[in-house]
Amino acid sequence: MILERLKAIVSEQLGIDVSRVNEASRVKEDVGLDSLDVVEVLMSVEEEWGIIFDDDETVGIKTVGDVVALIEKKTK
Amino acid sequence: MILFFVRGEVDSDKLIKFCYASYRDIMYDARELPAQQVIVREEGEKPRFLSGDVHFNLSHSHGATVLAMSHAPIGVDIEKVRPVHRDKFPFIEAENDEDFFREWTRRESYVKFTGKGIAGIRGEIPPETHFEQFDVFDGYITSVCAEEQNVIAYEIDPSAIENSQM
């Protein structure tokens, strides 16, 4: 469920083909996001799930799966 | 520092190794540097050389890549200037999209310099922090955050990197 909603956000916001957005996809290299894209997605994620990311929490984000895991952690 | 700009996408490891070889050749005291470096990629940290002699940082944006290399810690960000909903980013004051990206890349290069996560873009930057900024490739802005030092910039052809024996 989280992955599906995340895919929708990335695709709608940035016009990216959903097929590029899978758990293992690296956010920068595979999905092709730059730093502005990533922050826009994270801000939409914050709005969508009603959460706020601390600086430290976003340090390790490499893949779409990392974002999904972070959302899961913050919405427990 | 040396800034290596590439128009296009290239393999990160090949780029890092290619640029290190050039850096070592160009910098006057590079004879003291080893012929090769080991790249360390640890979770939660930016990639770095194991030896710590030389620092580097990489950035990509929609068709352009930049690698910054220096004797000292360094952060770099390149962004393609494009329409943005500036009101979503109240922590950035800008009158137009280009101004927005000047400030954005400044902040992001600082975040990269410190190795913080991307949410650090909203934070305060200490006033003594030093930046250099460049307009490149007709439509991209690059900011570099590092201690004040000489800057050399090159454009590298992606095929030179792909064909290199790295």
Side-chain angles (χ1 to χ4, degrees), chain A residues 13 32 34-40 42-44 46 53-55 58-60 62, chain B residues 44 60-62 77 79 82 84 88-89 100-101 104 108 116-120 122:
Chain A
Q13 267 206 344
D34 65 16
S35 63
L36 178 63
D37 298 325
V38 172
V39 173
E40 286 189 304
L42 291 180
M43 285 169 81
S44 296
E46 285 179 324
F53 294 115
D54 301 327
D55 291 0
T58 56
V59 167
K62 285 252 153 31
Chain B
H60 318 255
S61 174
H62 301 289
D77 185 51
E79 298 287 329
R82 65 227 196 231
V84 178
K88 286 166 76 182
F89 304 96
F100 176 88
F101 282 103
W104 179 274
E108 178 63 10
K116 290 182 188 201
I118 197 134
R122 294 186 273 228

PDB file of all heavy atoms in Angstrom, chain A residues 13 32 34-40 42-44 46 53-55 58-60 62, chain B residues 44 60-62 77 79 82 84 88-89 100-101 104 108 116-120 122:
ATOM      1  N   GLN A  13       3.709  13.951  -9.427  1.00  0.00           N
ATOM      2  CA  GLN A  13       4.453  15.186  -9.161  1.00  0.00           C
ATOM      3  C   GLN A  13       5.517  15.463 -10.187  1.00  0.00           C
ATOM      4  O   GLN A  13       5.743  16.596 -10.566  1.00  0.00           O
ATOM      5  CB  GLN A  13       5.167  15.072  -7.821  1.00  0.00           C
ATOM      6  CG  GLN A  13       4.366  15.617  -6.719  1.00  0.00           C
ATOM      7  CD  GLN A  13       5.234  16.079  -5.581  1.00  0.00           C
ATOM      8  OE1 GLN A  13       6.410  15.734  -5.477  1.00  0.00           O
ATOM      9  NE2 GLN A  13       4.664  16.859  -4.722  1.00  0.00           N
ATOM     10  N   GLY A  32      16.071   8.731 -11.277  1.00  0.00           N
ATOM     11  CA  GLY A  32      16.547   9.947 -11.952  1.00  0.00           C
ATOM     12  C   GLY A  32      16.180  11.244 -11.251  1.00  0.00           C
ATOM     13  O   GLY A  32      16.064  12.284 -11.880  1.00  0.00           O
ATOM     14  N   ASP A  34      16.807  14.516  -8.838  1.00  0.00           N
ATOM     15  CA  ASP A  34      17.894  15.296  -8.267  1.00  0.00           C
ATOM     16  C   ASP A  34      17.449  15.780  -6.882  1.00  0.00           C
ATOM     17  O   ASP A  34      16.379  15.418  -6.409  1.00  0.00           O
ATOM     18  CB  ASP A  34      18.348  16.423  -9.209  1.00  0.00           C
ATOM     19  CG  ASP A  34      17.278  17.480  -9.445  1.00  0.00           C
ATOM     20  OD1 ASP A  34      16.302  17.551  -8.681  1.00  0.00           O
ATOM     21  OD2 ASP A  34      17.423  18.241 -10.422  1.00  0.00           O
ATOM     22  N   SER A  35      18.263  16.626  -6.248  1.00  0.00           N
ATOM     23  CA  SER A  35      17.979  16.945  -4.844  1.00  0.00           C
ATOM     24  C   SER A  35      16.648  17.669  -4.675  1.00  0.00           C
ATOM     25  O   SER A  35      15.928  17.425  -3.699  1.00  0.00           O
ATOM     26  CB  SER A  35      19.116  17.757  -4.218  1.00  0.00           C
ATOM     27  OG  SER A  35      19.244  19.003  -4.870  1.00  0.00           O
ATOM     28  N   LEU A  36      16.302  18.525  -5.619  1.00  0.00           N
ATOM     29  CA  LEU A  36      15.018  19.233  -5.513  1.00  0.00           C
ATOM     30  C   LEU A  36      13.859  18.244  -5.631  1.00  0.00           C
ATOM     31  O   LEU A  36      12.908  18.291  -4.845  1.00  0.00           O
ATOM     32  CB  LEU A  36      14.899  20.316  -6.594  1.00  0.00           C
ATOM     33  CG  LEU A  36      13.571  21.076  -6.595  1.00  0.00           C
ATOM     34  CD1 LEU A  36      13.372  21.851  -5.300  1.00  0.00           C
ATOM     35  CD2 LEU A  36      13.490  22.021  -7.786  1.00  0.00           C
ATOM     36  N   ASP A  37      13.942  17.335  -6.583  1.00  0.00           N
ATOM     37  CA  ASP A  37      12.899  16.318  -6.751  1.00  0.00           C
ATOM     38  C   ASP A  37      12.717  15.523  -5.463  1.00  0.00           C
ATOM     39  O   ASP A  37      11.597  15.258  -5.028  1.00  0.00           O
ATOM     40  CB  ASP A  37      13.270  15.321  -7.860  1.00  0.00           C
ATOM     41  CG  ASP A  37      13.406  15.971  -9.223  1.00  0.00           C
ATOM     42  OD1 ASP A  37      12.656  16.927  -9.511  1.00  0.00           O
ATOM     43  OD2 ASP A  37      14.265  15.502 -10.004  1.00  0.00           O
ATOM     44  N   VAL A  38      13.843  15.111  -4.872  1.00  0.00           N
ATOM     45  CA  VAL A  38      13.775  14.288  -3.659  1.00  0.00           C
ATOM     46  C   VAL A  38      13.081  15.057  -2.538  1.00  0.00           C
ATOM     47  O   VAL A  38      12.198  14.525  -1.858  1.00  0.00           O
ATOM     48  CB  VAL A  38      15.180  13.833  -3.196  1.00  0.00           C
ATOM     49  CG1 VAL A  38      15.118  13.146  -1.842  1.00  0.00           C
ATOM     50  CG2 VAL A  38      15.793  12.893  -4.231  1.00  0.00           C
ATOM     51  N   VAL A  39      13.445  16.301  -2.348  1.00  0.00           N
ATOM     52  CA  VAL A  39      12.812  17.085  -1.277  1.00  0.00           C
ATOM     53  C   VAL A  39      11.333  17.292  -1.568  1.00  0.00           C
ATOM     54  O   VAL A  39      10.502  17.188  -0.666  1.00  0.00           O
ATOM     55  CB  VAL A  39      13.520  18.446  -1.072  1.00  0.00           C
ATOM     56  CG1 VAL A  39      12.751  19.322  -0.087  1.00  0.00           C
ATOM     57  CG2 VAL A  39      14.923  18.222  -0.550  1.00  0.00           C
ATOM     58  N   GLU A  40      10.990  17.541  -2.818  1.00  0.00           N
ATOM     59  CA  GLU A  40       9.565  17.698  -3.156  1.00  0.00           C
ATOM     60  C   GLU A  40       8.791  16.431  -2.847  1.00  0.00           C
ATOM     61  O   GLU A  40       7.685  16.487  -2.306  1.00  0.00           O
ATOM     62  CB  GLU A  40       9.414  18.060  -4.646  1.00  0.00           C
ATOM     63  CG  GLU A  40       9.803  19.494  -4.936  1.00  0.00           C
ATOM     64  CD  GLU A  40       9.466  19.932  -6.359  1.00  0.00           C
ATOM     65  OE1 GLU A  40       9.914  19.269  -7.313  1.00  0.00           O
ATOM     66  OE2 GLU A  40       8.767  20.949  -6.503  1.00  0.00           O
ATOM     67  N   LEU A  42       9.668  14.120  -0.616  1.00  0.00           N
ATOM     68  CA  LEU A  42       9.624  13.949   0.842  1.00  0.00           C
ATOM     69  C   LEU A  42       8.600  14.893   1.473  1.00  0.00           C
ATOM     70  O   LEU A  42       7.915  14.528   2.429  1.00  0.00           O
ATOM     71  CB  LEU A  42      11.005  14.161   1.464  1.00  0.00           C
ATOM     72  CG  LEU A  42      12.053  13.086   1.142  1.00  0.00           C
ATOM     73  CD1 LEU A  42      13.379  13.403   1.815  1.00  0.00           C
ATOM     74  CD2 LEU A  42      11.580  11.703   1.563  1.00  0.00           C
ATOM     75  N   MET A  43       8.478  16.102   0.932  1.00  0.00           N
ATOM     76  CA  MET A  43       7.478  17.039   1.463  1.00  0.00           C
ATOM     77  C   MET A  43       6.067  16.528   1.188  1.00  0.00           C
ATOM     78  O   MET A  43       5.195  16.633   2.039  1.00  0.00           O
ATOM     79  CB  MET A  43       7.687  18.433   0.855  1.00  0.00           C
ATOM     80  CG  MET A  43       8.887  19.155   1.461  1.00  0.00           C
ATOM     81  SD  MET A  43       9.371  20.656   0.573  1.00  0.00           S
ATOM     82  CE  MET A  43       8.212  21.811   1.207  1.00  0.00           C
ATOM     83  N   SER A  44       5.862  15.964   0.002  1.00  0.00           N
ATOM     84  CA  SER A  44       4.544  15.382  -0.303  1.00  0.00           C
ATOM     85  C   SER A  44       4.262  14.173   0.571  1.00  0.00           C
ATOM     86  O   SER A  44       3.128  13.957   0.999  1.00  0.00           O
ATOM     87  CB  SER A  44       4.470  14.956  -1.767  1.00  0.00           C
ATOM     88  OG  SER A  44       4.576  16.082  -2.586  1.00  0.00           O
ATOM     89  N   GLU A  46       5.418  13.782   3.609  1.00  0.00           N
ATOM     90  CA  GLU A  46       5.071  14.335   4.926  1.00  0.00           C
ATOM     91  C   GLU A  46       3.595  14.733   4.969  1.00  0.00           C
ATOM     92  O   GLU A  46       2.894  14.436   5.936  1.00  0.00           O
ATOM     93  CB  GLU A  46       5.945  15.553   5.244  1.00  0.00           C
ATOM     94  CG  GLU A  46       7.384  15.194   5.628  1.00  0.00           C
ATOM     95  CD  GLU A  46       8.240  16.418   5.923  1.00  0.00           C
ATOM     96  OE1 GLU A  46       8.067  17.464   5.259  1.00  0.00           O
ATOM     97  OE2 GLU A  46       9.100  16.338   6.817  1.00  0.00           O
ATOM     98  N   PHE A  53       9.897  14.616   8.821  1.00  0.00           N
ATOM     99  CA  PHE A  53      11.210  13.975   8.867  1.00  0.00           C
ATOM    100  C   PHE A  53      12.218  14.858   9.586  1.00  0.00           C
ATOM    101  O   PHE A  53      12.290  16.054   9.337  1.00  0.00           O
ATOM    102  CB  PHE A  53      11.739  13.736   7.442  1.00  0.00           C
ATOM    103  CG  PHE A  53      10.938  12.743   6.661  1.00  0.00           C
ATOM    104  CD1 PHE A  53      10.240  13.123   5.525  1.00  0.00           C
ATOM    105  CD2 PHE A  53      10.885  11.412   7.053  1.00  0.00           C
ATOM    106  CE1 PHE A  53       9.503  12.199   4.783  1.00  0.00           C
ATOM    107  CE2 PHE A  53      10.147  10.476   6.333  1.00  0.00           C
ATOM    108  CZ  PHE A  53       9.455  10.882   5.200  1.00  0.00           C
ATOM    109  N   ASP A  54      13.014  14.235  10.473  1.00  0.00           N
ATOM    110  CA  ASP A  54      14.166  14.946  11.040  1.00  0.00           C
ATOM    111  C   ASP A  54      15.300  14.836  10.039  1.00  0.00           C
ATOM    112  O   ASP A  54      15.317  13.911   9.239  1.00  0.00           O
ATOM    113  CB  ASP A  54      14.637  14.267  12.341  1.00  0.00           C
ATOM    114  CG  ASP A  54      13.534  14.219  13.370  1.00  0.00           C
ATOM    115  OD1 ASP A  54      12.715  15.155  13.400  1.00  0.00           O
ATOM    116  OD2 ASP A  54      13.477  13.230  14.123  1.00  0.00           O
ATOM    117  N   ASP A  55      16.271  15.745  10.156  1.00  0.00           N
ATOM    118  CA  ASP A  55      17.441  15.704   9.259  1.00  0.00           C
ATOM    119  C   ASP A  55      18.114  14.343   9.264  1.00  0.00           C
ATOM    120  O   ASP A  55      18.426  13.787   8.229  1.00  0.00           O
ATOM    121  CB  ASP A  55      18.491  16.734   9.705  1.00  0.00           C
ATOM    122  CG  ASP A  55      18.028  18.145   9.480  1.00  0.00           C
ATOM    123  OD1 ASP A  55      16.905  18.335   8.977  1.00  0.00           O
ATOM    124  OD2 ASP A  55      18.791  19.061   9.796  1.00  0.00           O
ATOM    125  N   THR A  58      16.788  11.246   7.171  1.00  0.00           N
ATOM    126  CA  THR A  58      16.851  11.181   5.715  1.00  0.00           C
ATOM    127  C   THR A  58      18.255  10.901   5.192  1.00  0.00           C
ATOM    128  O   THR A  58      18.446  10.753   3.990  1.00  0.00           O
ATOM    129  CB  THR A  58      16.357  12.504   5.098  1.00  0.00           C
ATOM    130  OG1 THR A  58      17.139  13.565   5.629  1.00  0.00           O
ATOM    131  CG2 THR A  58      14.898  12.738   5.435  1.00  0.00           C
ATOM    132  N   VAL A  59      19.230  10.812   6.080  1.00  0.00           N
ATOM    133  CA  VAL A  59      20.620  10.626   5.662  1.00  0.00           C
ATOM    134  C   VAL A  59      20.819   9.351   4.857  1.00  0.00           C
ATOM    135  O   VAL A  59      21.502   9.333   3.851  1.00  0.00           O
ATOM    136  CB  VAL A  59      21.563  10.619   6.889  1.00  0.00           C
ATOM    137  CG1 VAL A  59      22.936  10.110   6.533  1.00  0.00           C
ATOM    138  CG2 VAL A  59      21.678  12.004   7.473  1.00  0.00           C
ATOM    139  N   GLY A  60      20.208   8.263   5.303  1.00  0.00           N
ATOM    140  CA  GLY A  60      20.494   6.981   4.664  1.00  0.00           C
ATOM    141  C   GLY A  60      19.673   6.665   3.433  1.00  0.00           C
ATOM    142  O   GLY A  60      19.821   5.609   2.844  1.00  0.00           O
ATOM    143  N   LYS A  62      18.596   5.819   0.063  1.00  0.00           N
ATOM    144  CA  LYS A  62      19.234   5.522  -1.217  1.00  0.00           C
ATOM    145  C   LYS A  62      18.190   5.004  -2.208  1.00  0.00           C
ATOM    146  O   LYS A  62      18.208   5.363  -3.377  1.00  0.00           O
ATOM    147  CB  LYS A  62      20.291   4.424  -1.059  1.00  0.00           C
ATOM    148  CG  LYS A  62      21.573   4.855  -0.417  1.00  0.00           C
ATOM    149  CD  LYS A  62      22.688   4.919  -1.438  1.00  0.00           C
ATOM    150  CE  LYS A  62      23.785   5.895  -1.101  1.00  0.00           C
ATOM    151  NZ  LYS A  62      24.064   6.115   0.302  1.00  0.00           N
TER     152      LYS A  62
ATOM    153  N   GLY B  44      24.412   5.763   5.430  1.00  0.00           N
ATOM    154  CA  GLY B  44      24.268   6.981   6.213  1.00  0.00           C
ATOM    155  C   GLY B  44      25.405   7.969   6.021  1.00  0.00           C
ATOM    156  O   GLY B  44      25.417   9.029   6.639  1.00  0.00           O
ATOM    157  N   HIS B  60      24.166  15.048  -9.464  1.00  0.00           N
ATOM    158  CA  HIS B  60      23.588  14.922 -10.808  1.00  0.00           C
ATOM    159  C   HIS B  60      22.305  15.715 -10.869  1.00  0.00           C
ATOM    160  O   HIS B  60      21.615  15.838  -9.869  1.00  0.00           O
ATOM    161  CB  HIS B  60      23.110  13.493 -11.124  1.00  0.00           C
ATOM    162  CG  HIS B  60      23.984  12.407 -10.706  1.00  0.00           C
ATOM    163  ND1 HIS B  60      24.758  11.697 -11.601  1.00  0.00           N
ATOM    164  CD2 HIS B  60      24.188  11.832  -9.501  1.00  0.00           C
ATOM    165  CE1 HIS B  60      25.389  10.762 -10.955  1.00  0.00           C
ATOM    166  NE2 HIS B  60      25.079  10.792  -9.694  1.00  0.00           N
ATOM    167  N   SER B  61      21.969  16.202 -12.041  1.00  0.00           N
ATOM    168  CA  SER B  61      20.632  16.749 -12.224  1.00  0.00           C
ATOM    169  C   SER B  61      20.225  16.664 -13.668  1.00  0.00           C
ATOM    170  O   SER B  61      20.762  17.380 -14.503  1.00  0.00           O
ATOM    171  CB  SER B  61      20.562  18.205 -11.760  1.00  0.00           C
ATOM    172  OG  SER B  61      19.301  18.774 -12.068  1.00  0.00           O
ATOM    173  N   HIS B  62      19.282  15.782 -13.959  1.00  0.00           N
ATOM    174  CA  HIS B  62      18.645  15.758 -15.271  1.00  0.00           C
ATOM    175  C   HIS B  62      19.581  16.039 -16.436  1.00  0.00           C
ATOM    176  O   HIS B  62      19.461  17.046 -17.120  1.00  0.00           O
ATOM    177  CB  HIS B  62      17.468  16.742 -15.274  1.00  0.00           C
ATOM    178  CG  HIS B  62      16.453  16.415 -14.217  1.00  0.00           C
ATOM    179  ND1 HIS B  62      15.623  15.310 -14.295  1.00  0.00           N
ATOM    180  CD2 HIS B  62      16.153  17.004 -13.037  1.00  0.00           C
ATOM    181  CE1 HIS B  62      14.856  15.256 -13.216  1.00  0.00           C
ATOM    182  NE2 HIS B  62      15.161  16.262 -12.435  1.00  0.00           N
ATOM    183  N   ASP B  77      26.465  20.772  -5.451  1.00  0.00           N
ATOM    184  CA  ASP B  77      25.135  20.484  -5.975  1.00  0.00           C
ATOM    185  C   ASP B  77      24.966  21.144  -7.328  1.00  0.00           C
ATOM    186  O   ASP B  77      25.284  22.324  -7.492  1.00  0.00           O
ATOM    187  CB  ASP B  77      24.041  20.981  -5.020  1.00  0.00           C
ATOM    188  CG  ASP B  77      22.646  20.585  -5.494  1.00  0.00           C
ATOM    189  OD1 ASP B  77      22.429  19.385  -5.789  1.00  0.00           O
ATOM    190  OD2 ASP B  77      21.767  21.460  -5.591  1.00  0.00           O
ATOM    191  N   GLU B  79      21.950  21.775 -10.309  1.00  0.00           N
ATOM    192  CA  GLU B  79      20.517  21.687 -10.583  1.00  0.00           C
ATOM    193  C   GLU B  79      20.203  22.303 -11.932  1.00  0.00           C
ATOM    194  O   GLU B  79      20.748  23.358 -12.281  1.00  0.00           O
ATOM    195  CB  GLU B  79      19.700  22.459  -9.532  1.00  0.00           C
ATOM    196  CG  GLU B  79      19.838  21.944  -8.111  1.00  0.00           C
ATOM    197  CD  GLU B  79      19.136  20.625  -7.838  1.00  0.00           C
ATOM    198  OE1 GLU B  79      18.094  20.351  -8.462  1.00  0.00           O
ATOM    199  OE2 GLU B  79      19.632  19.874  -6.985  1.00  0.00           O
ATOM    200  N   ARG B  82      14.515  25.093 -13.662  1.00  0.00           N
ATOM    201  CA  ARG B  82      13.231  24.722 -14.261  1.00  0.00           C
ATOM    202  C   ARG B  82      12.130  25.317 -13.397  1.00  0.00           C
ATOM    203  O   ARG B  82      12.378  25.755 -12.270  1.00  0.00           O
ATOM    204  CB  ARG B  82      13.087  23.196 -14.338  1.00  0.00           C
ATOM    205  CG  ARG B  82      13.020  22.509 -12.961  1.00  0.00           C
ATOM    206  CD  ARG B  82      13.936  21.340 -12.934  1.00  0.00           C
ATOM    207  NE  ARG B  82      13.663  20.438 -11.817  1.00  0.00           N
ATOM    208  CZ  ARG B  82      14.604  20.021 -10.989  1.00  0.00           C
ATOM    209  NH1 ARG B  82      15.843  20.420 -11.135  1.00  0.00           N
ATOM    210  NH2 ARG B  82      14.317  19.183  -9.999  1.00  0.00           N
ATOM    211  N   VAL B  84       9.426  25.974 -10.729  1.00  0.00           N
ATOM    212  CA  VAL B  84       9.276  25.413  -9.377  1.00  0.00           C
ATOM    213  C   VAL B  84       8.114  26.102  -8.686  1.00  0.00           C
ATOM    214  O   VAL B  84       7.919  27.306  -8.873  1.00  0.00           O
ATOM    215  CB  VAL B  84      10.543  25.724  -8.539  1.00  0.00           C
ATOM    216  CG1 VAL B  84      10.409  25.198  -7.127  1.00  0.00           C
ATOM    217  CG2 VAL B  84      11.773  25.144  -9.179  1.00  0.00           C
ATOM    218  N   LYS B  88       6.097  26.422  -2.018  1.00  0.00           N
ATOM    219  CA  LYS B  88       6.236  25.218  -1.198  1.00  0.00           C
ATOM    220  C   LYS B  88       7.500  25.260  -0.354  1.00  0.00           C
ATOM    221  O   LYS B  88       7.698  24.409   0.519  1.00  0.00           O
ATOM    222  CB  LYS B  88       6.282  23.972  -2.091  1.00  0.00           C
ATOM    223  CG  LYS B  88       4.934  23.603  -2.676  1.00  0.00           C
ATOM    224  CD  LYS B  88       5.065  22.613  -3.803  1.00  0.00           C
ATOM    225  CE  LYS B  88       5.354  21.212  -3.302  1.00  0.00           C
ATOM    226  NZ  LYS B  88       5.529  20.247  -4.404  1.00  0.00           N
ATOM    227  N   PHE B  89       8.380  26.219  -0.642  1.00  0.00           N
ATOM    228  CA  PHE B  89       9.668  26.295   0.054  1.00  0.00           C
ATOM    229  C   PHE B  89       9.834  27.658   0.712  1.00  0.00           C
ATOM    230  O   PHE B  89      10.631  28.482   0.267  1.00  0.00           O
ATOM    231  CB  PHE B  89      10.812  26.049  -0.940  1.00  0.00           C
ATOM    232  CG  PHE B  89      10.688  24.750  -1.674  1.00  0.00           C
ATOM    233  CD1 PHE B  89      10.106  24.696  -2.936  1.00  0.00           C
ATOM    234  CD2 PHE B  89      11.127  23.569  -1.103  1.00  0.00           C
ATOM    235  CE1 PHE B  89       9.981  23.493  -3.622  1.00  0.00           C
ATOM    236  CE2 PHE B  89      11.015  22.362  -1.774  1.00  0.00           C
ATOM    237  CZ  PHE B  89      10.437  22.326  -3.026  1.00  0.00           C
ATOM    238  N   PHE B 100      15.881  31.141  -7.137  1.00  0.00           N
ATOM    239  CA  PHE B 100      15.541  29.998  -6.291  1.00  0.00           C
ATOM    240  C   PHE B 100      16.639  28.948  -6.364  1.00  0.00           C
ATOM    241  O   PHE B 100      17.107  28.436  -5.343  1.00  0.00           O
ATOM    242  CB  PHE B 100      14.194  29.391  -6.725  1.00  0.00           C
ATOM    243  CG  PHE B 100      13.834  28.146  -5.964  1.00  0.00           C
ATOM    244  CD1 PHE B 100      13.140  28.234  -4.763  1.00  0.00           C
ATOM    245  CD2 PHE B 100      14.211  26.891  -6.435  1.00  0.00           C
ATOM    246  CE1 PHE B 100      12.827  27.090  -4.037  1.00  0.00           C
ATOM    247  CE2 PHE B 100      13.910  25.741  -5.712  1.00  0.00           C
ATOM    248  CZ  PHE B 100      13.215  25.841  -4.514  1.00  0.00           C
ATOM    249  N   PHE B 101      17.066  28.616  -7.579  1.00  0.00           N
ATOM    250  CA  PHE B 101      18.091  27.587  -7.725  1.00  0.00           C
ATOM    251  C   PHE B 101      19.447  28.033  -7.240  1.00  0.00           C
ATOM    252  O   PHE B 101      20.248  27.212  -6.802  1.00  0.00           O
ATOM    253  CB  PHE B 101      18.144  27.067  -9.170  1.00  0.00           C
ATOM    254  CG  PHE B 101      17.031  26.100  -9.452  1.00  0.00           C
ATOM    255  CD1 PHE B 101      15.918  26.494 -10.179  1.00  0.00           C
ATOM    256  CD2 PHE B 101      17.070  24.817  -8.949  1.00  0.00           C
ATOM    257  CE1 PHE B 101      14.869  25.607 -10.405  1.00  0.00           C
ATOM    258  CE2 PHE B 101      16.028  23.923  -9.168  1.00  0.00           C
ATOM    259  CZ  PHE B 101      14.926  24.321  -9.888  1.00  0.00           C
ATOM    260  N   TRP B 104      18.932  27.403  -3.632  1.00  0.00           N
ATOM    261  CA  TRP B 104      18.772  25.965  -3.406  1.00  0.00           C
ATOM    262  C   TRP B 104      20.103  25.248  -3.469  1.00  0.00           C
ATOM    263  O   TRP B 104      20.463  24.467  -2.586  1.00  0.00           O
ATOM    264  CB  TRP B 104      17.811  25.363  -4.443  1.00  0.00           C
ATOM    265  CG  TRP B 104      17.653  23.887  -4.226  1.00  0.00           C
ATOM    266  CD1 TRP B 104      18.437  22.884  -4.712  1.00  0.00           C
ATOM    267  CD2 TRP B 104      16.665  23.271  -3.407  1.00  0.00           C
ATOM    268  NE1 TRP B 104      18.012  21.677  -4.242  1.00  0.00           N
ATOM    269  CE2 TRP B 104      16.920  21.869  -3.447  1.00  0.00           C
ATOM    270  CE3 TRP B 104      15.600  23.745  -2.640  1.00  0.00           C
ATOM    271  CZ2 TRP B 104      16.142  20.953  -2.753  1.00  0.00           C
ATOM    272  CZ3 TRP B 104      14.819  22.819  -1.954  1.00  0.00           C
ATOM    273  CH2 TRP B 104      15.094  21.450  -2.008  1.00  0.00           C
ATOM    274  N   GLU B 108      21.993  23.155  -0.592  1.00  0.00           N
ATOM    275  CA  GLU B 108      22.224  21.733  -0.815  1.00  0.00           C
ATOM    276  C   GLU B 108      23.720  21.434  -0.806  1.00  0.00           C
ATOM    277  O   GLU B 108      24.141  20.386  -0.305  1.00  0.00           O
ATOM    278  CB  GLU B 108      21.571  21.292  -2.125  1.00  0.00           C
ATOM    279  CG  GLU B 108      21.779  19.838  -2.512  1.00  0.00           C
ATOM    280  CD  GLU B 108      21.181  18.835  -1.543  1.00  0.00           C
ATOM    281  OE1 GLU B 108      20.427  19.223  -0.637  1.00  0.00           O
ATOM    282  OE2 GLU B 108      21.510  17.642  -1.684  1.00  0.00           O
ATOM    283  N   LYS B 116      24.934  15.757   6.025  1.00  0.00           N
ATOM    284  CA  LYS B 116      23.614  15.574   6.644  1.00  0.00           C
ATOM    285  C   LYS B 116      22.640  15.006   5.616  1.00  0.00           C
ATOM    286  O   LYS B 116      22.914  14.967   4.436  1.00  0.00           O
ATOM    287  CB  LYS B 116      23.034  16.946   7.047  1.00  0.00           C
ATOM    288  CG  LYS B 116      23.723  17.610   8.183  1.00  0.00           C
ATOM    289  CD  LYS B 116      22.986  18.924   8.469  1.00  0.00           C
ATOM    290  CE  LYS B 116      23.739  19.752   9.481  1.00  0.00           C
ATOM    291  NZ  LYS B 116      22.876  20.725  10.140  1.00  0.00           N
ATOM    292  N   GLY B 117      21.478  14.644   6.095  1.00  0.00           N
ATOM    293  CA  GLY B 117      20.416  14.167   5.206  1.00  0.00           C
ATOM    294  C   GLY B 117      19.768  15.332   4.500  1.00  0.00           C
ATOM    295  O   GLY B 117      19.914  16.492   4.872  1.00  0.00           O
ATOM    296  N   ILE B 118      19.021  15.026   3.498  1.00  0.00           N
ATOM    297  CA  ILE B 118      18.457  16.037   2.614  1.00  0.00           C
ATOM    298  C   ILE B 118      17.484  16.990   3.320  1.00  0.00           C
ATOM    299  O   ILE B 118      17.318  18.130   2.902  1.00  0.00           O
ATOM    300  CB  ILE B 118      17.832  15.360   1.396  1.00  0.00           C
ATOM    301  CG1 ILE B 118      17.612  16.371   0.291  1.00  0.00           C
ATOM    302  CG2 ILE B 118      16.538  14.669   1.737  1.00  0.00           C
ATOM    303  CD1 ILE B 118      18.064  15.888  -1.023  1.00  0.00           C
ATOM    304  N   ALA B 119      16.888  16.539   4.416  1.00  0.00           N
ATOM    305  CA  ALA B 119      15.974  17.432   5.132  1.00  0.00           C
ATOM    306  C   ALA B 119      16.738  18.606   5.740  1.00  0.00           C
ATOM    307  O   ALA B 119      16.142  19.614   6.108  1.00  0.00           O
ATOM    308  CB  ALA B 119      15.213  16.664   6.217  1.00  0.00           C
ATOM    309  N   GLY B 120      18.067  18.504   5.828  1.00  0.00           N
ATOM    310  CA  GLY B 120      18.898  19.590   6.344  1.00  0.00           C
ATOM    311  C   GLY B 120      18.846  20.843   5.493  1.00  0.00           C
ATOM    312  O   GLY B 120      19.357  21.891   5.883  1.00  0.00           O
ATOM    313  N   ARG B 122      16.542  22.739   5.053  1.00  0.00           N
ATOM    314  CA  ARG B 122      15.741  23.773   5.716  1.00  0.00           C
ATOM    315  C   ARG B 122      16.520  24.500   6.803  1.00  0.00           C
ATOM    316  O   ARG B 122      16.062  25.485   7.356  1.00  0.00           O
ATOM    317  CB  ARG B 122      14.478  23.148   6.355  1.00  0.00           C
ATOM    318  CG  ARG B 122      13.488  22.589   5.349  1.00  0.00           C
ATOM    319  CD  ARG B 122      12.211  22.125   6.031  1.00  0.00           C
ATOM    320  NE  ARG B 122      12.309  20.760   6.501  1.00  0.00           N
ATOM    321  CZ  ARG B 122      11.402  19.825   6.298  1.00  0.00           C
ATOM    322  NH1 ARG B 122      10.307  20.103   5.598  1.00  0.00           N
ATOM    323  NH2 ARG B 122      11.554  18.616   6.791  1.00  0.00           N
TER     324      ARG B 122
END
